[in-house]
Amino acid sequence: MTTTLITGANKGLGRETARRLLAAGHTVYIGARDEARGRAAAADLGARFVHIDVTDDASVTAAAEQIAADGGLDVLVNNAGVEPRLAGNAIPTAADESVEDVRATFETNLFGGLRATQAFVPLLLESPAPVIVNVSSGLGSLGMLSDPDGFTHFYTGLSYPASKAAVNAATIQLAKAYPTIRVNAVEPGFTDTELNGHTGTQTVEEGAEIIVRMAQIGPDGPSGTFVSSRGPLPY
């Protein structure tokens, strides 16, 4: 039985990923910082619940201890994330975001994922087929972001794409550091979720497809890649 933890899984892409992996036979932990919502989602889906706030060391440590006591972990999906928006759901410009704003975004999107990864790596290394999926974004592709003809060039915010580019870089380096763990970054696409004020053009079912696929790769699968449902993406 494959045991999987998904952070930020009480709603959106995380919840849909949990639903699909449960259907595929995984034992799934719904990781959430809001205990009431997390427990409700876990109960509704038939999953397990673990309280985890990826911005808090003690919370992450406690979650790792709970899952270790329950028997271990095979797959970690670093899904928890934030995207700053202004009043009326407007996308900020680089001029709108202070250093503190950028730091807050990095705290969840980059440092939170790294904090969870470092806490759970000891458990993953005991698995016969360990996997880490880092939920990134097409906005983290510097090649596409800088291309005037690229579909992400319009985006004006600073902290979100910068944090996701850092997630991509971390994915490469973690794959080098842990050659027995399959570590990959995925781009779900512009999905209708609370993160973007429900402006996305894809359903959560469509967005979760690549997360689910990469969560199920075997020991001979790729590592250190950045992929969407359409194939590899440029860093």
Side-chain angles (χ1 to χ4, degrees), residues 12-36:
L13 287 169
R15 182 188 173 102
E16 177 60 19
T17 299
R19 186 188 70 79
R20 298 266 289 276
L21 290 177
L22 284 163
H26 288 220
T27 296
V28 174
Y29 283 89
I30 297 286
R33 63 182 178 180
D34 186 311
E35 185 166 354

Side-chain angles (χ1 to χ4, degrees), residues 62-118:
E65 290 172 350
Q66 176 183 332
I67 291 175
D70 288 347
L73 189 70
D74 302 293
V75 179
L76 170 63
V77 179
N78 285 313
N79 170 71
V82 296
E83 181 192 351
R85 290 287 173 127
L86 302 177
N89 202 44
I91 299 170
T93 70
D96 293 318
E97 295 192 72
S98 68
V99 170
E100 290 305 315
D101 293 331
V102 175
R103 182 177 287 115
T105 303
F106 268 68
E107 188 60 52
T108 297
N109 293 359
L110 176 65
F111 304 141
L114 288 176
R115 186 176 284 110
T117 296
Q118 290 174 358

Side-chain angles (χ1 to χ4, degrees), residues 23 31 35 38 42 46 59 77 94 112 116 118 166 171 173 178-179 190 202 211 217 234:
E35 185 166 354
S59 174
V77 179
Q118 290 174 358
T171 298
Q173 299 305 89
Y178 300 107
F190 189 35
Q202 289 188 147
I211 309 174
I217 61 173

